[in-house]
């Protein structure tokens, strides 16, 4: 984005530590734990939001965590459990006494309990289900019948709805006479006699309108209904694309079964992004900063193993040219440059393509134009770096032919990088494989193999 | 997350094309443009959300875009402009006739106009400011006095507020008698006599409470106030961390100046993520799929140039060992494997560290534990791959010494990769440099240089 030269403006405050717990605050809390000073601990923790307490627990080590939780005891809030990273949630639940756990879980909304339960082992699941009240347990168990990562798991079952023929006055009277309205709601969902949602009315509009106005005349322009089995990533996309605040969820008969609100969609969007970033780097998307060494090692190994195979593959290409390298050792010096440039250019194209696929910006209607663009970009940058490396090769080793060989190999590899970086994720997506997960290894294999083969092959033809 | 073995569930529907415009729909629209059939075009476009129309315009080529917009003419909605990618927004504004542009912009909320204006050139900015009504123009110009990427740019200026001493009845009467309530609002902000916000009351709570209840007794547990100069990324973090729906914005005197809603925060979160992913891959974070070849080439070049320098640096290391390579050509065959494994392991550590810094999960209190973990993971995986490559090296070239050399180099480089992958982004963050932007080049330089040096150096000592 361009700066606004027209306007003199104060500086934006990029406060690095705006929300992170200070090192000092953490030290004070751990000191209270050391002294087993419960009053002091409770006083220090009291102003913290459950999300910040969860972050704190994730950042300290397992021993401190155990001591802190035991000392904090009955103050432990259910929301802390909801906010905790999955990787240490089981550990924390194991530390809590049964009474504290029961109390903590009973405070939670049913959709938060679902979120908590789905990652636990069966035994812990049952322990938690047992402490719930009957009505809550039924709600939680019904939610668990929907598949993981579905809209059904995300939704709240408490919906505020009204018949489509009501007017404002009827709706307001209904709301004011209903005892058990949900904690948070933003819309009244209008439904037809068969309980199919037909529109949303915001509470603000309701407030601002006269009693005799029909609800039907107040519905929002953008109305989006979500199928209960829809993938949560698509739900998050819809919220972001259409600026939804809440959206009704319907079953296969198009009947209203629940509502999803934007805060849950935002959390999903955040997770999806996180997964994409990590997968692109070959890190298991379920790993977390709180994982231990053994866990992390196991999670990182497979990708490194895949990379080893591709690296060996590239070495096999080099091995075909041993004789040439023995004659002209400069080839060994220069060959990694061609491979490395191809790998980087390929990763650039790849990342753009993977993101565009994820945001549904890369579709049937522009796929060929995007591929053509990436290949052309590879060609032009290839020519630029060909000139640079041609000169470097000539100056360094005093051989025009060597300069020419590396220049030609550079052009070839950068064009191939553009093609592979775009084509491979598109093909994987067509095959139903997550392109973020697998493309990286394929693309660098291609650019390594092509890079070494083009450079060394041309060298054999031209130099020997 | 683990599967729930206990529950039989239907399959989640991961509908790839749930929200992307079908190829067929695009073809129909372009066919109508070809025939210059305006009625048909309007009929086809009518059911589309402005966000989808913006996506469509981004996906077709510039010529079709121009013809479509000219044919669509007066139907062109202001919201389409808001949703358009910046890279083609100027182009589209240039195509619209002055009357259509004026009409489109007048429909927009003032915060959307600000969003539109900030990326335009001065001339286009003035053209748009000119068509606004006086009151809107003042509001837009005031917003533009806040720096880019600040909370001030993000906020709406229309706030629904009430004195802290009011009761529910007074608030409801006020709302029902106010003509110009904002289109979307979710809270009433309570303010003290000096206009400092003291709490939020949701409209739902207001609806559900008796008239004589004091607003003060209904305020939300989580209340978060945002300084007007705060960086928008921190604003998005706060919304996500504390599950906010809307939050009041205050000036340096803590007086209420506006309100930010979650949909805007969600859009910022989305952009921030996008930037992180692209930067990690060395792609300019402001590039877009609609950029042309020349633009894209220019944006990709600098990172490739940085990479060329690091690659040449690595080559200089190799050049020190030309004599050794000439004697044992197998070294040239095997050396890229060590460098490549280090690069990949380093990228894994790096990505985890960069993400953890962005989400404020990596802080002063756990930095040493995380670094130690990454180094240990590097050591263990290094040992595993040392065994594998030691055997491969021995089998391939029949030399125990060569197998031992590559094994030792592997361990060294993977330990260094863990250290560099974690340490470099942490140091950059401390220096105030975006770690996503610069770490990649540093880390692979380190792993390339160390990889080649360790392998070839050990080879000289052991083999020659």
């Amino acid at each position: 984005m361009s700066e606004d030269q027209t306007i003199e403006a104060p500086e934006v405050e990029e406060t690095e530590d705006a929300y992170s717990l200070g090192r000092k605050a953490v030290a004070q809390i751990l000191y209270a734990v050391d002294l087993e000073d419960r009053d002091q601990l409770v006083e220090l923790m009291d102003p913290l939001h459950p999300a910040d307490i969860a972050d704190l627990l994730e950042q300290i080590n397992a021993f401190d965590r155990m001591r802190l939780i035991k000392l904090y005891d009955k103050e432990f809030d259910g929301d802390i459990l909801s906010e905790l990273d999955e990787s240490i949630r089981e550990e924390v639940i194991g530390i809590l006494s049964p009474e504290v756990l029961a109390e903590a879980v009973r405070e939670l909304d049913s959709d938060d309990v679902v979120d908590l339960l789905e990652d636990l082992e069966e035994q812990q699941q049952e322990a938690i289900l047992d402490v719930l009240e009957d009505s809550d347990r039924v709600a939680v168990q019904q939610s668990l019948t929907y598949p993981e990562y579905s809209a059904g798991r995300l939704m709240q079952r408490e919906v505020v709805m009204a018949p489509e023929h009501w007017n404002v006055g009827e709706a307001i009277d209904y709301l004011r006479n209903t005892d058990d309205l949900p904690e948070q709601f933003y819309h009244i969902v209008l439904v037809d006699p068969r309980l199919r949602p037909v529109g949303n009315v915001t509470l603000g509009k309701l407030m601002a309108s006269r009693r005799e106005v029909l609800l039907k005349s107040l519905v929002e322009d953008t109305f989006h209904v979500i199928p209960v089995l829809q993938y949560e990533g698509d739900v998050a996309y819809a919220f972001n694309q259409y600026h939804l605040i809440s959206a009704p969820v319907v079953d296969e008969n198009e009947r209203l079964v629940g509502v999803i609100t934007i805060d849950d969609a935002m959390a999903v969007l955040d997770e999806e992004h996180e997964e994409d970033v990590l997968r692109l780097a070959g890190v298991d998307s379920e790993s977390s900063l709180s994982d231990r060494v053994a866990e992390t090692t196991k999670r990182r190994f497979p990708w490194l193993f895949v990379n080893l195979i591709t690296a060996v593959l590239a070495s096999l290409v080099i091995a075909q040219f041993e004789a040439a390298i023995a004659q002209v050792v400069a080839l060994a010096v220069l060959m990694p440059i061609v491979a490395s440039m191809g790998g980087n250019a390929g990763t650039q194209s790849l990342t753009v393509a993977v993101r565009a696929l994820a945001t549904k910006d890369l579709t049937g209607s522009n796929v060929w134009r995007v591929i053509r663009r990436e290949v052309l970009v590879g060609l032009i940058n290839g020519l630029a770096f060909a000139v640079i490396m041609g000169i470097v090769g000539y100056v360094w080793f005093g051989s025009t032919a060597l300069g020419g060989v590396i220049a030609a190999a550079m052009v070839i590899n950068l064009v191939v990088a553009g093609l592979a970086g775009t084509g491979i994720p598109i093909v994987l997506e067509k095959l139903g494989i997550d392109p973020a997960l697998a493309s990286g290894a394929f693309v660098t294999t291609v650019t390594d193999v092509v890079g070494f083969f083009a450079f060394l092959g041309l060298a054999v033809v031209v130099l020997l």
Side-chain angles (χ1 to χ4, degrees), chain A:
Chain A
M1 290 175 229
S2 66
E3 289 281 79
D4 302 301
Q5 269 92 17
T6 43
I7 292 141
E8 261 186 69
E11 285 238 329
V12 59
E13 289 165 3
E14 197 161 342
T15 38
E16 191 187 326
D17 294 325
Y19 297 107
S20 65
L21 268 180
R23 200 171 179 160
K24 207 171 137 197
V26 176
Q28 282 180 328
I29 287 170
L30 290 181
Y31 185 64
V33 172
D34 278 338
L35 297 181
E36 298 191 28
D37 185 344
R38 182 157 198 280
D39 296 343
Q40 176 70 7
L41 177 69
V42 171
E43 198 188 311
L44 286 167
M45 302 270 279
D46 192 53
L48 298 183
H49 187 279
D52 291 329
I53 297 181
D55 283 350
L56 169 72
L57 290 174
E58 288 162 18
Q59 284 166 24
I60 61 182
N61 66 43
F63 180 63
D64 287 340
R65 192 151 55 224
M66 188 197 68
R67 292 190 307 155
L68 191 158
I69 291 168
K70 286 205 184 289
L71 192 63
Y72 200 46
D73 200 38
K74 284 187 182 53
E75 299 289 322
F76 198 95
D77 195 276
D79 287 321
I80 304 175
L81 281 183
S82 295
E83 303 285 350
L84 267 184
D85 195 278
E86 290 149 30
S87 61
I88 60 166
R89 209 185 259 164
E90 286 195 37
E91 176 197 323
V92 170
I93 289 176
I95 297 171
L96 294 173
S97 68
E99 305 83 58
V100 174
L101 179 62
E103 191 55 43
V105 169
R106 268 192 223 113
E107 289 164 13
L108 290 176
D109 291 338
S110 69
D111 59 329
D112 289 329
V113 177
V114 171
D115 193 39
L116 199 67
L117 277 181
E118 55 188 8
D119 308 315
L120 295 179
E121 282 168 24
E122 211 174 314
Q123 207 186 336
Q124 280 191 321
Q125 281 196 352
E126 276 166 23
I128 288 183
L129 282 172
D130 282 347
V131 304
L132 291 177
E133 284 164 34
D134 285 350
S135 64
D136 285 343
R137 185 165 51 241
V138 171
V140 168
Q141 282 170 327
Q142 276 183 347
S143 282
L144 287 173
T145 60
Y146 294 111
E148 253 195 296
Y149 312 121
S150 71
R153 287 276 180 105
L154 272 186
M155 71 187 184
Q156 293 165 215
R157 312 187 130 256
E158 304 87 17
V159 190
V160 180
M161 53 179 146
E164 54 184 335
H165 58 77
W166 273 14
N167 64 28
V168 169
E170 287 170 298
I172 289 181
D173 294 343
Y174 164 75
L175 290 178
R176 298 190 66 77
N177 294 323
T178 305
D179 282 339
D180 55 343
L181 290 176
E183 269 286 291
Q184 299 269 6
F185 71 105
Y186 313 103
H187 290 118
I188 297 179
V189 183
L190 298 194
V191 290
D192 73 8
R194 299 183 56 189
L195 229 67
R196 290 180 299 208
V198 295
N200 268 339
V201 177
T202 65
L203 293 183
K205 274 266 176 63
L206 201 67
M207 286 285 197
S209 306
R210 278 169 300 115
R211 285 186 64 90
E212 62 274 19
V213 173
L214 280 176
L215 293 182
K216 236 186 287 191
S217 67
L218 298 176
V219 293
E220 297 275 273
D221 286 346
T222 302
F223 180 62
H224 195 88
V225 173
I226 291 174
V228 73
L229 290 182
Q230 188 166 66
Y231 172 60
E232 60 173 17
D234 287 332
V235 174
Y237 176 83
F239 270 82
N240 200 18
Q241 173 86 344
Y242 303 122
H243 309 288
L244 308 175
I245 294 296
S246 77
V249 180
V250 296
D251 65 13
E252 62 276 27
N253 302 317
E254 287 170 47
R255 287 161 61 109
L256 185 65
V257 290
V259 65
I260 295 178
T261 49
I262 187 175
D263 50 328
D264 294 317
M266 192 172 179
V268 171
L269 189 78
D270 198 41
E271 279 169 35
E272 292 266 310
H273 274 294
E274 185 83 14
E275 283 179 16
D276 262 12
V277 181
L278 294 176
R279 281 181 183 164
L280 273 170
V283 179
D284 188 321
S285 59
E286 272 148 41
S287 44
S288 113
L289 208 64
S290 328
D291 285 343
R292 282 140 198 271
V293 172
E295 180 95 21
T296 310
T297 308
K298 252 194 305 184
R299 285 183 190 277
R300 303 270 175 89
F301 184 89
W303 176 260
L304 291 176
F305 190 75
V306 169
N307 179 60
L308 183 70
I309 292 173
T310 78
V312 169
L313 219 66
S315 289
L316 287 172
V317 174
I318 301 173
Q320 306 310 307
F321 298 94
E322 278 193 34
I325 293 171
Q327 273 184 272
V328 186
V329 182
L331 296 179
V333 175
L334 291 176
M335 68 183 185
I337 298 179
V338 178
S340 159
M341 292 297 287
N344 272 271
T347 304
Q348 289 181 331
S349 298
L350 169 68
T351 306
V352 170
V354 166
R355 287 301 307 153
L357 287 168
T359 56
K360 300 175 204 283
D361 288 332
L362 183 55
T363 65
S365 27
N366 61 351
V367 56
W368 290 111
R369 211 167 54 256
V370 170
I371 292 179
R372 199 185 58 205
R373 185 192 74 171
E374 292 296 319
V375 170
L376 276 173
V377 169
L379 179 65
I380 300 172
N381 270 331
L383 289 169
F385 286 106
V387 171
I388 299 173
M389 269 317 294
I391 295 171
V392 169
Y394 171 71
V395 171
W396 192 346
F397 294 99
S399 155
T400 328
L402 191 59
V405 165
I406 196 166
M410 192 70 89
V411 175
I412 293 170
N413 209 19
L414 260 60
V415 168
V416 169
L419 190 63
T422 327
I424 289 175
I426 291 172
V427 170
L428 287 177
E429 171 101 351
K430 279 257 175 235
L431 297 175
I433 301 167
D434 180 354
L437 193 60
S439 301
F442 285 117
V443 172
T444 48
T445 306
V446 170
T447 53
D448 276 357
V449 167
V450 170
F452 290 131
F453 190 81
F455 178 63
L456 296 173
L458 283 171
V460 167
V461 172
V462 175
L463 294 176
L464 303 179

